[in-house]
Amino acid sequence: MEKSTNNLPLNRRRFLQVSGASGALLALGFGTSAITREAEVYKINGEGVFGAQLNPFIIIDPEGKITLMNHKPEMGQGVFQSMPMLLAEELEVNMDDVHIVQAEGHKKYGSQMVGGSNSVRGEWEPLRKMGAAAREMLTLAAAKRWKVDPTDCYAENGKITLKKKTKRKSLTYGELVAEAAKLDVPAEPALKDPKDFKILGQPLPRKDAPMKCNGEAVFGLDMEVPGMLYASVERAPTLHGKVVSYDEAAAKAIPGVKYVVKAERPVFTYNFEGVAVVADSYYAAFQGRKALRVQWDLSGYDEIDSRKIDEGLKSLQSEEGFEHETKGDFADAYEQSAKTLEAEYQLPYLAHSPMEPMNMVAQVKGDQCEIWGPTQSPQWALGDLTQYLGIPEENIKIHVSFLGGGFGRRAFNDFIIEAVSIARQIDETVKVVWTREDDTQQGPFRPGTMHQLQAGFNEQGAPVALKHKMIGQALAFQWPDADKSKIPGGVMEAINTHYAIPNFTTRYVPYETQIPVLWWRSVYSSTNAFAHESFIDEIAHEAGQDPLQFRKEHLKEQPRFVKVLEMLEEKSDWSEALPEKQGKGVAIAECFGSICGQVAFVERNDTGQLKFKKVIAVIDCGMTVNPDTIRAQTEGNIVMGLTAAIKDPIIFRGGRVMQSNFHNYQMVKMDETPEIEVHIVENQEKPGGVGEPGLPPLAPALANAIFNESGNRIRKLPFRMDKV
């Protein structure tokens, strides 16, 4: 039997209460229509949830037990609790009193995609409206029973109470839910004033944390379905390749091996081939895979080489490409400048390397499909499966587990289609598990980029012209029928055009290769901000100005940027001079609706070794749900950004990825991690993202600190701290 993330036993008394509940129960979706149905026992991701479903997110049973759905996949970013917190705030219930369940993949929940740091900022109002609508329905039900005006009632702690002191009485939500569910759903329920929030903005303990610590949480690798088999897939040693032959008999000679079939994995315009060995244990499947001796046709795919990629990027430096944003006349201002400055920055391809490698359980029976596992995009998976299998959406069930990291990789459904392709051939339930080597070498990857930057200064030394040209692969250009006649969305993220330099232009030059590339935590912001904020530091130095004061002066028309910089200045004691052999650097970036600035401190010891000592981060993400989550996400971003800055790149030789596991594609270790201090700007601005904005400033802040200490500019990532 498959595991579930919570235990909610069904006993005879509860079953009779639920099955005997009367009245039509309302399911409220994001569309314009409502669906009525009788009380029922809900089976959500394998878990029994019992009661009246006021809407897809709120279920209340007759005993008053409240279940709130988390409809977004949880990959460590905190949505398992933050989504229910939005509901609970308006529903007027205490988080200690609610049960949280991970929702299945279904269109009734609206958007379930997690990416672009969009969960809270996208659901801030819709989920609060869901909670408020349910609260108003329950209030009206109580008012009708008491024959009073709804304004004479108020909701608090899972009850509706009559205000009048002489007649004060209360009814629990459980006592009211059957009547409430018969009422019309308010189209525009009144939302609480933020000053009255009791839950939102509070550092509440996350309910998923204990489960993840005690082993109760179910990740994809933990998923067990009765009768399932295991599969391991041999894939081409290069990024692409065609299967010529393989030794099926040798694989089947391994005890436990039951099937050997070809697998397919669609990646944009490519259809990657593999050979799957299916067995009654993962060990047997993997041993069978090693016995396959696959012969590959690698012709045309064995010339992918990092050195040729570098040459290809450099060859495009004379191209002007697409215009992103322009103000004034850069060319003329640059030509007339008294002094000019030029620099070239370069960043590598990277793998995602979530701690949990790709995996998925799949079952295909006739025109029915069911999958279990970790996906960032349940509805995208639903669409892809519908197209691949040629069956209706209603014939597909998607059970979402916890994700052991995603970073954008699990928003792409190639690994799901691969599992389904195997399950369909063998007509049995199969769990496909990638090895760490598969995960590192098969991609898709973060694209490598090259940046050309130019600045011009007047006679007084002030910057009057700035140009930033980015060269690299466009994610959007990989899809079939992509429109390559215009600049693709997102490629210029985190290139700050707010700086008050009178003449500037930002441009994008596309580079194409056979390497599949994909979203990677903070996407293009992870590369663009390093080049841009490092060059802003170069401009400040050339102008003879303090780098933080230069940013404040040239962003003074942007008060939220200034506030972040002022808080950084205060929290870092920026104005205090540092001792010899120490350095500090600053960077600020905006992405996904939030602004994050960081100050990095480095120190050189007596043996000449440079150490990253501390980083202070300030983030303005507008109104908040849980400040502890914001700090945790910013800390995680800093660690991941540091890994990208100082650890291994992905290198291609002869079409192959040279890195394979954590011995040569290393992660930052605890003793390499600096002290991290995170501060949150409090305001009433619209909520922004927090899952990614803390990553882009890290590399430029560190590089600028190294320049401050040593006079050496870091213009290419990664670099080694022991070589600076």
Side-chain angles (χ1 to χ4, degrees), residues 8 14 17-27 37-42 44 48-69 87-88 90-94 97-99 101 130-139 141 155 157-160 171-181:
L8 189 62
R14 181 179 290 276
Q17 285 178 320
V18 174
S19 61
S22 62
L25 303 176
L26 185 68
R37 59 186 171 189
E38 297 299 318
E40 59 182 283
V41 178
Y42 299 95
I44 302 169
V49 180
F50 316 103
Q53 189 170 27
L54 285 177
N55 59 52
F57 301 93
I58 300 171
I59 299 172
I60 302 174
D61 79 0
E63 293 181 345
K65 186 175 183 65
I66 298 166
T67 298
L68 302 182
M69 309 303 297
L87 293 163
E90 298 290 347
L91 187 59
E92 292 288 3
V93 293
N94 191 307
D97 300 328
V98 302
H99 177 59
V101 170
M130 286 287 178
R135 181 191 72 230
E136 289 190 5
M137 293 161 71
L138 291 159
T139 303
N157 292 329
K159 296 179 180 179
I160 303 298
L171 290 168
T172 68
Y173 287 175
E175 293 172 301
L176 293 166
V177 67
E179 297 164 57

Side-chain angles (χ1 to χ4, degrees), residues 674-693:
E675 178 185 348
I676 302 172
E677 190 177 302
V678 179
H679 302 274
I680 302 168
V681 176
E682 295 183 5
N683 58 37
Q684 296 298 305
E685 300 287 347
K686 285 177 57 178
V690 299
E692 295 163 282

Side-chain angles (χ1 to χ4, degrees), residues 329-343:
D329 188 334
F330 167 79
D332 182 66
Y334 189 74
E335 180 69 25
Q336 302 299 321
S337 293
K339 182 170 54 176
T340 62
L341 178 67
E342 296 186 3

Side-chain angles (χ1 to χ4, degrees), residues 370-392:
E370 196 163 1
I371 64 171
W372 298 259
T375 171
Q376 285 182 239
S377 53
Q379 283 148 330
W380 288 4
L382 183 64
D384 289 346
L385 288 170
T386 298
Q387 182 177 9
Y388 178 73
L389 294 171
I391 62 177

Side-chain angles (χ1 to χ4, degrees), residues 644-701:
I646 68 172
K647 292 300 180 179
D648 301 295
I650 288 293
I651 297 173
F652 304 96
R653 293 283 186 269
R656 304 174 185 230
V657 173
M658 294 292 97
Q659 289 65 43
S660 59
N661 209 313
F662 290 137
H663 69 288
N664 60 1
Y665 192 70
Q666 300 177 66
M667 303 290 109
V668 163
K669 302 179 182 68
M670 289 183 69
D671 65 347
E672 298 170 296
T673 304
E675 178 185 348
I676 302 172
E677 190 177 302
V678 179
H679 302 274
I680 302 168
V681 176
E682 295 183 5
N683 58 37
Q684 296 298 305
E685 300 287 347
K686 285 177 57 178
V690 299
E692 295 163 282
L695 191 148
L698 186 281

Side-chain angles (χ1 to χ4, degrees), residues 382-616:
L382 183 64
D384 289 346
L385 288 170
T386 298
Q387 182 177 9
Y388 178 73
L389 294 171
I391 62 177
E393 287 184 354
E394 56 266 26
N395 291 15
I396 300 170
K397 292 183 180 179
I398 299 176
H399 306 275
V400 183
S401 67
F402 282 118
L403 286 62
F407 315 125
R409 176 63 182 93
R410 285 191 159 96
F412 196 68
N413 297 313
D414 60 314
F415 68 101
I416 297 177
I417 300 298
E418 183 182 62
V420 167
S421 79
I422 299 167
R424 180 168 62 172
Q425 293 179 74
I426 65 173
D427 196 30
E428 296 202 53
T429 306
V430 63
K431 181 176 187 175
V432 181
V433 179
W434 292 40
T435 65
R436 175 59 57 193
E437 288 76 10
D438 295 332
D439 213 54
T440 303
Q441 297 180 320
Q442 292 296 318
F445 304 94
R446 186 194 80 170
T449 59
M450 183 169 286
H451 303 257
Q452 277 187 304
L453 293 113
Q454 297 171 287
F457 302 80
N458 62 18
E459 294 286 354
Q460 291 73 42
V464 294
L466 173 62
K467 180 178 182 178
H468 185 157
K469 183 197 297 183
M470 193 275 270
I471 307 169
Q473 283 184 258
L475 304 180
F477 282 2
Q478 298 174 104
W479 270 274
D481 305 319
D483 183 359
K484 299 183 181 181
S485 66
K486 60 183 180 182
I487 187 169
V491 293
M492 306 302 279
E493 292 168 341
I495 294 179
N496 192 343
T497 57
H498 294 306
Y499 283 109
I501 296 174
N503 304 281
F504 74 82
T505 183
T506 51
R507 308 191 71 86
Y508 166 66
V509 179
Y511 171 72
E512 296 199 26
T513 179
Q514 295 170 318
I515 300 169
V517 295
L518 196 60
W519 314 282
W520 188 94
R521 194 173 189 175
S522 77
V523 202
Y524 287 100
S525 300
S526 71
T527 54
N528 292 342
F530 169 67
H532 200 73
E533 279 296 294
S534 295
F535 194 64
I536 289 295
D537 228 63
E538 294 200 46
I539 293 173
H541 179 75
E542 196 69 31
Q545 296 185 39
D546 174 88
L548 193 148
Q549 301 306 324
F550 177 90
R551 287 171 170 81
K552 282 173 61 178
E553 175 63 26
H554 287 80
L555 291 169
K556 62 184 178 183
E557 300 301 319
Q558 304 294 323
R560 293 181 71 181
F561 278 88
V562 173
K563 178 65 177 177
V564 169
L565 289 166
E566 287 176 342
M567 189 176 288
L568 270 178
E569 187 174 18
E570 174 195 349
K571 300 298 183 183
S572 68
D573 295 323
W574 180 268
S575 60
E576 292 188 7
L578 293 177
E580 189 181 356
K581 296 184 180 180
Q582 293 187 26
K584 60 187 175 184
V586 64
I588 189 168
E590 178 183 23
C591 66
F592 305 113
S594 295
I595 302 165
C596 185
Q598 294 173 14
V599 170
F601 293 89
V602 297
E603 182 178 5
R604 198 175 298 274
N605 62 23
D606 293 339
T607 63
Q609 175 71 46
L610 194 64
K611 179 78 173 178
F612 188 3
K613 296 291 292 183
K614 184 175 183 178
V615 58
I616 296 174

Side-chain angles (χ1 to χ4, degrees), residues 186-386:
E188 291 296 331
L191 297 178
K192 294 171 68 172
D193 189 308
K195 67 179 175 57
D196 297 323
F197 286 165
K198 301 172 185 174
I199 294 174
L200 298 180
Q202 298 303 311
L204 301 181
R206 283 171 49 176
K207 290 196 172 188
D208 57 329
M211 291 189 289
K212 291 173 178 177
C213 292
N214 65 22
E216 184 185 350
V218 177
F219 292 85
L221 287 175
D222 300 318
M223 274 291 179
E224 296 177 6
V225 176
M228 75 178 187
L229 301 173
Y230 297 81
S232 186
V233 181
E234 181 72 2
R235 303 174 181 88
T238 58
L239 290 177
H240 306 270
K242 300 293 183 183
V243 176
V244 175
S245 65
Y246 53 89
D247 193 339
E248 180 175 351
K252 284 188 171 180
I254 302 297
V257 171
K258 295 182 177 295
Y259 306 98
V260 178
V261 297
K262 287 184 70 173
E264 59 181 346
R265 184 169 63 95
V267 179
F268 304 110
T269 57
Y270 299 102
N271 192 26
F272 290 10
E273 294 184 0
V275 182
V277 177
V278 185
D280 55 16
S281 70
Y282 176 72
Y283 178 80
F286 186 62
Q287 295 305 311
R289 172 184 172 180
K290 291 195 291 186
L292 279 171
R293 294 192 289 272
V294 181
Q295 298 297 311
W296 297 93
D297 176 7
L298 307 178
S299 56
Y301 302 123
D302 54 2
E303 295 185 3
I304 299 173
D305 191 287
S306 292
R307 292 164 295 198
K308 292 183 178 180
I309 293 169
D310 289 349
E311 292 171 3
L313 292 169
K314 289 179 183 293
S315 71
L316 295 172
Q317 290 181 338
S318 60
E319 301 289 330
E320 283 301 294
F322 295 101
E323 178 184 288
H324 169 240
E325 194 169 342
T326 294
K327 182 175 70 175
D329 188 334
F330 167 79
D332 182 66
Y334 189 74
E335 180 69 25
Q336 302 299 321
S337 293
K339 182 170 54 176
T340 62
L341 178 67
E342 296 186 3
E344 178 182 293
Y345 284 80
Q346 189 171 358
L347 298 98
Y349 285 79
L350 294 176
H352 294 77
S353 295
M355 289 296 103
E356 179 189 27
M358 298 300 106
N359 65 88
M360 186 59 58
V361 180
Q363 178 189 89
V364 181
K365 296 290 184 181
D367 65 349
Q368 303 289 318
C369 175
E370 196 163 1
I371 64 171
W372 298 259
T375 171
Q376 285 182 239
S377 53
Q379 283 148 330
W380 288 4
L382 183 64
D384 289 346
L385 288 170
T386 298

